[in-house]
């Protein structure tokens, strides 16, 4: 059967990402996303906009069983066995698309350099795709933590579906990962497995003993009895004997010789962390043995930095216990605050980072993961200059800020309301985030004219005020049960979609380019 889409294929410039208008039968006019034209089993699929609504379209014939599972809203043409279906971008239809087109399903990324592109609204992924393609990074397009899901009232399915529709729309066939971020319980794992996530970031921060560095040797020894040695399949004495005052050659230029106190501190600080990771990993492997999965460990949300020996201790113990890491996120020296650049001694960071990547190379290899990676341009340049090691960058809030930048540019009165609301809620909302922004450093909403709003996105304090209030902004409702801001933001981003993608692409190119990776890597 010949394609039922010759008029589209003849007139659509697939080298362009801009919407292009085509006329279907009976005068039906649709704006088509050129990259979205896909063919499966003699049926043609594409995403288009008709009368302001974005939909999936399918051109097929009545005998084609592959489209029977598609949920169609309208049938525009049915003559001579040719059918044009208009279908919602629904969860059920996303499942069908994932079944038919491999590149729309999350996959394992492995130890390739990768970039996490969290999207709290669900509309940024096409811009992410445009930024990431040909960059040398693999894309983690579906990325959301349990905390973010709870704050935005999104579901894991919605996160996966947004990524599916984005790669379908853009014609991105290089594959993408899906990161179930900051998981703390086995229930979290089950929930994200069900949705199809493939990367599982275990957050054992509840088990970190932050005060370990302040304890004496005697106090540390006493605390050593509190460790889950049954899970670790080891004893306190064996661990001390294995590491204390032993020289560990990491590479020809770098070795570790931890003192007994350093070993005791590592045991107390991270012993139950390792036990929890092992239990989470065992649950994933035993309850979901056929599910494709890879493990990241996050120890970045701690009070004190993860020393090179602590990195070695965690990774070597996990390796001994059969946990294979794809990446590990240490708590680095300096400050990795939300939404702003690195604050700290970049030379000291660089020297520590070299040690972390050397350890990751010896014990994995696994990637060193940069959490709170949004806008850490100083760090990107430092890693790019090092030019070795494997890296995963994790971002989320910066995409939300780019969405607000579109609103500020195109609908300043709406932004004024959002900004004022964020100021009012900042003190409460910042409690669970690492930020230093101060309300006294940012202007009141009514003190700014419309043209001055864009300057806020270059101000560290203002960026953090906007950043941490995303949950309240996206979920606040009025007395009638209507969203105060969310629907208006989504409408604005839909109306100025190409500008939104442009802002996202340009912003993330600034993130990506300092690494200097080549597409062939």
């Amino acid at each position: 059967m010949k394609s039922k889409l010759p008029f589209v294929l003849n007139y659509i410039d697939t080298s362009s990402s801009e919407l292009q208008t085509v006329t279907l039968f009976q005068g039906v006019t649709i704006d088509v996303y050129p990259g979205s034209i896909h063919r499966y089993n003699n049926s043609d699929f594409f995403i288009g906009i008709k009368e302001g609504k974005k939909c999936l379209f399918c051109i097929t014939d009545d005998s084609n069983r592959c489209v029977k599972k598609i949920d169609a809203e309208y049938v525009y043409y049915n003559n001579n066995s040719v059918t044009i279906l208009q279908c919602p971008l629904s969860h059920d239809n996303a499942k069908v698309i994932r079944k038919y087109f491999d590149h729309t399903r999350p996959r394992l990324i492995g130890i390739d350099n990768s970039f996490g592109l969290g999207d709290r609204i669900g509309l940024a992924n096409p811009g992410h795709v445009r930024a990431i393609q040909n960059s040398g990074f693999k894309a983690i397009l579906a990325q959301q933590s349990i905390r973010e899901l709870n704050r935005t009232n999104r579901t894991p399915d919605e996160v996966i579906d947004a990524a599916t529709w984005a790669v379908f729309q853009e014609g991105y066939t290089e594959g993408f990962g899906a990161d179930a971020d900051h998981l703390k319980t086995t229930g979290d794992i089950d929930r994200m497995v069900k949705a199809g996530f493939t990367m599982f970031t275990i957050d054992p921060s509840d088990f970190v003993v932050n005060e370990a560095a302040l304890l004496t040797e005697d106090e540390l020894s006493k605390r050593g009895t509190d460790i889950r040695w049954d899970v670790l399949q080891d004893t306190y004495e064996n661990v001390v004997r294995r590491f204390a005052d032993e020289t560990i050659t990491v590479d020809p230029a770098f070795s570790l010789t931890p003192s007994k106190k350093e070993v005791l501190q590592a045991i107390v600080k991270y012993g139950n962390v390792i036990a929890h990771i092992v239990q989470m990993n065992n649950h994933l492997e035993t309850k979901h043995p056929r599910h494709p999965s890879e493990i990241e460990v996050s120890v970045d949300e701690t009070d004190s930095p993860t020393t090179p020996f602590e990195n070695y201790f965690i990774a070597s113990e996990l390796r001994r216990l059969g946990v294979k890491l794809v990446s590990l996120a240490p708590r680095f020296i300096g400050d990795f605050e939300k939404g702003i650049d690195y604050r700290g001694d970049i030379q000291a960071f660089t020297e520590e980072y070299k040690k972390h990547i050397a350890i990751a190379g010896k014990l994995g290899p696994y990637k060193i993961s940069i959490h709170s990676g949004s806008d850490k341009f100083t760090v990107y340049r430092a890693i790019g200059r090092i030019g070795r090691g494997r890296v995963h960058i994790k971002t989320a809030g910066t995409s939300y800020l780019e969405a607000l930048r579109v609103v500020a540019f195109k609908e300043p009165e709406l932004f004024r309301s959002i900004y004022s609301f964020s100021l009012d809620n900042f003190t409460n909302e910042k409690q669970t985030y690492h930020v230093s922004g101060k309300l006294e450093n940012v202007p009141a909403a009514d003190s700014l004219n419309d043209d001055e709003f864009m300057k806020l996105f270059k101000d560290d304090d203002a960026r953090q005020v906007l950043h941490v209030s995303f949950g309240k902004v996206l979920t606040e409702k009025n007395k009638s049960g209507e969203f105060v801001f969310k629907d208006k933001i989504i409408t604005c981003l839909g109306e100025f979609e190409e500008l939104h993608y442009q802002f996202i692409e340009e912003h993330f190119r600034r993130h990506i380019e300092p690494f200097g990776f080549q597409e062939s890597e």
Side-chain angles (χ1 to χ4, degrees):
M1 171 182 139
K2 294 183 179 180
S3 171
K4 302 300 182 182
L5 202 55
F7 41 85
V8 172
L9 296 179
N10 287 340
Y11 295 104
I12 293 294
D13 176 10
T14 56
S15 67
S16 171
S17 61
E18 294 184 3
L19 282 169
Q20 296 173 45
T21 303
V22 297
T23 300
L24 302 183
F25 300 108
Q26 298 178 339
V28 176
T29 299
I30 299 174
D31 293 326
V32 176
Y33 293 85
S36 72
I37 300 172
H38 293 68
R39 180 144 249 261
Y40 179 81
N41 198 18
N42 295 323
S43 290
D44 294 297
F45 297 82
F46 63 94
I47 293 177
I49 296 177
K50 183 179 183 298
E51 298 175 353
K53 183 178 180 180
K54 186 184 292 190
C55 299
L56 172 70
F57 290 86
C58 176
I59 299 181
T60 187
D61 63 30
D62 287 338
S63 66
N64 196 340
R65 296 181 180 180
C66 83
V67 298
K68 299 299 183 182
K69 296 181 180 179
I70 292 286
D71 175 27
E73 294 176 310
Y74 302 103
V75 179
Y76 279 109
Y77 182 81
N78 192 336
N79 187 32
N80 296 325
S81 298
V82 177
T83 303
I84 301 175
L85 306 176
Q86 178 180 321
C87 316
L89 302 184
S90 64
H91 174 59
D92 287 341
N93 283 341
K95 289 195 295 184
V96 174
I97 291 299
R98 285 193 285 270
K99 179 179 179 181
Y100 293 163
F101 302 100
D102 290 346
H103 65 280
T104 67
R105 294 195 298 269
R107 72 178 194 186
L108 300 179
I109 298 299
I111 59 171
D112 289 339
N113 294 315
S114 51
F115 213 107
L117 299 148
D119 180 8
R120 290 169 175 168
I121 298 175
L123 300 176
N125 277 161
H128 292 152
V129 165
R130 297 181 188 186
I132 203 78
Q133 57 190 353
N134 304 320
S135 68
F137 277 107
K138 299 298 184 183
I140 310 289
L141 289 177
Q143 174 199 287
Q144 201 112 86
S145 68
I146 297 297
R147 177 172 62 187
E148 288 171 335
L149 289 173
N150 291 337
R151 289 198 171 189
T152 59
N153 290 336
R154 296 185 80 199
T155 68
D157 285 337
E158 288 174 329
V159 178
I160 296 288
D161 291 349
T164 290
W165 292 123
V167 299
F168 191 89
Q169 174 182 305
E170 296 297 308
Y172 182 74
T173 59
E174 296 177 28
F176 69 95
D179 180 7
D181 195 18
H182 284 284
L183 307 178
K184 294 192 175 189
T185 70
T186 55
D188 292 341
I189 289 176
D190 296 340
R191 182 183 178 193
M192 303 308 260
V193 164
K194 184 178 180 181
F197 283 79
T198 51
M199 177 178 171
F200 297 85
T201 298
I202 299 173
D203 177 1
S205 57
D206 292 344
F207 298 89
V208 175
V209 179
N210 284 299
E211 66 271 22
L214 305 176
L215 301 177
T216 66
E217 281 197 33
D218 287 343
E219 290 170 328
L220 289 166
S221 296
K222 292 177 182 178
R223 294 289 289 270
T225 62
D226 298 331
I227 306 301
R228 290 292 309 276
W229 294 112
D230 57 329
V231 178
L232 298 181
Q233 304 173 34
D234 211 341
T235 66
Y236 171 84
E237 292 77 17
N238 281 345
V239 176
V240 173
R241 188 181 307 116
R242 195 158 62 245
F243 290 108
D245 298 318
E246 295 292 327
T247 297
I248 303 165
T249 301
V250 179
D251 65 27
F254 170 44
S255 62
L256 296 163
T257 308
S259 67
K260 179 181 179 181
K261 186 172 184 179
E262 287 178 303
V263 175
L264 295 179
Q265 287 172 340
I267 292 172
V268 172
K269 184 177 181 181
Y270 291 116
N272 284 332
V273 162
I274 296 168
H276 179 66
I277 295 166
V278 169
Q279 291 177 315
M280 293 279 278
N281 180 74
N282 290 347
H283 175 83
L284 180 60
E285 289 186 343
T286 56
K287 187 169 183 179
H288 309 284
R290 297 182 181 178
H291 186 79
S293 61
E294 49 196 5
I295 294 292
E296 174 175 279
V297 166
S298 165
V299 292
D300 65 302
E301 293 191 358
T302 61
D303 294 343
S304 59
T306 308
T307 67
F309 171 66
E310 289 170 344
N311 181 342
Y312 188 94
F313 177 73
I314 294 167
S316 63
E317 289 299 282
L318 289 175
R319 183 181 186 184
R320 177 179 66 82
L321 292 161
V323 179
K324 185 177 180 180
L325 295 180
V326 72
S327 51
L328 185 147
R331 162 69 158 88
F332 295 105
I333 59 174
D335 287 322
F336 282 72
E337 297 187 24
K338 300 294 183 181
I340 64 174
D341 204 347
Y342 174 76
R343 289 180 172 177
D345 184 335
I346 193 60
Q347 186 58 42
F349 166 84
T350 301
E351 295 306 312
E352 287 284 276
Y353 189 83
K354 290 177 182 177
K355 296 176 182 178
H356 286 302
I357 61 175
I359 293 165
K362 180 179 178 66
L363 294 177
Y366 55 85
K367 294 176 282 194
I368 295 297
S369 187
I370 312 292
H371 285 205
S372 298
S374 296
D375 311 295
K376 302 302 182 292
F377 303 108
T378 303
V379 166
Y380 308 153
R381 290 190 290 270
I383 295 174
R385 285 192 294 268
I386 293 171
R388 62 180 186 274
R390 295 172 170 87
V391 66
H392 175 60
I393 306 296
K394 191 167 296 196
T395 70
T398 198
S399 294
Y400 171 72
L401 292 181
E402 288 305 294
L404 292 189
R405 198 156 69 93
V406 175
V407 176
F409 186 49
K410 288 297 185 178
E411 296 191 24
E413 284 309 305
L414 173 57
F415 177 78
R416 186 185 299 277
S417 298
I418 294 170
Y419 177 51
S420 179
F421 182 82
S422 299
L423 287 169
D424 291 341
N425 286 276
F426 176 67
T427 300
N428 182 64
E429 294 301 298
K430 73 176 182 178
Q431 298 303 316
T432 56
Y433 285 102
H434 182 43
V435 294
S436 62
K438 294 180 172 57
L439 285 176
E440 58 265 31
N441 293 340
V442 295
D446 58 8
S447 70
L448 300 172
N449 61 47
D450 293 353
D451 295 334
E452 292 176 308
F453 286 146
M454 298 299 284
K455 296 178 182 178
L456 295 173
F457 295 91
K458 296 182 179 180
D459 181 272
D460 285 354
D461 294 276
R463 286 181 67 82
Q464 293 192 333
V465 166
L466 292 167
H467 181 289
V468 303
S469 301
F470 72 92
K472 290 287 287 183
V473 169
L474 295 176
T475 58
E476 186 73 4
K477 294 183 177 181
N478 59 26
K479 293 180 180 179
S480 300
E482 300 167 328
F483 286 112
V484 176
F485 304 112
K486 181 180 178 180
D487 290 341
K488 294 176 182 177
I489 293 171
I490 290 173
T491 298
C492 176
L493 297 179
E495 183 177 355
F496 302 103
E497 184 178 62
E498 278 301 315
L499 180 66
H500 183 209
Y501 297 163
Q502 178 187 332
F503 278 13
I504 290 285
E505 181 179 3
E506 291 175 353
H507 188 58
F508 277 95
R509 282 289 174 181
R510 288 185 61 209
H511 285 66
I512 290 166
E513 288 170 357
F515 291 95
F517 294 141
Q518 300 298 315
E519 185 178 4
S520 60
E521 287 190 356

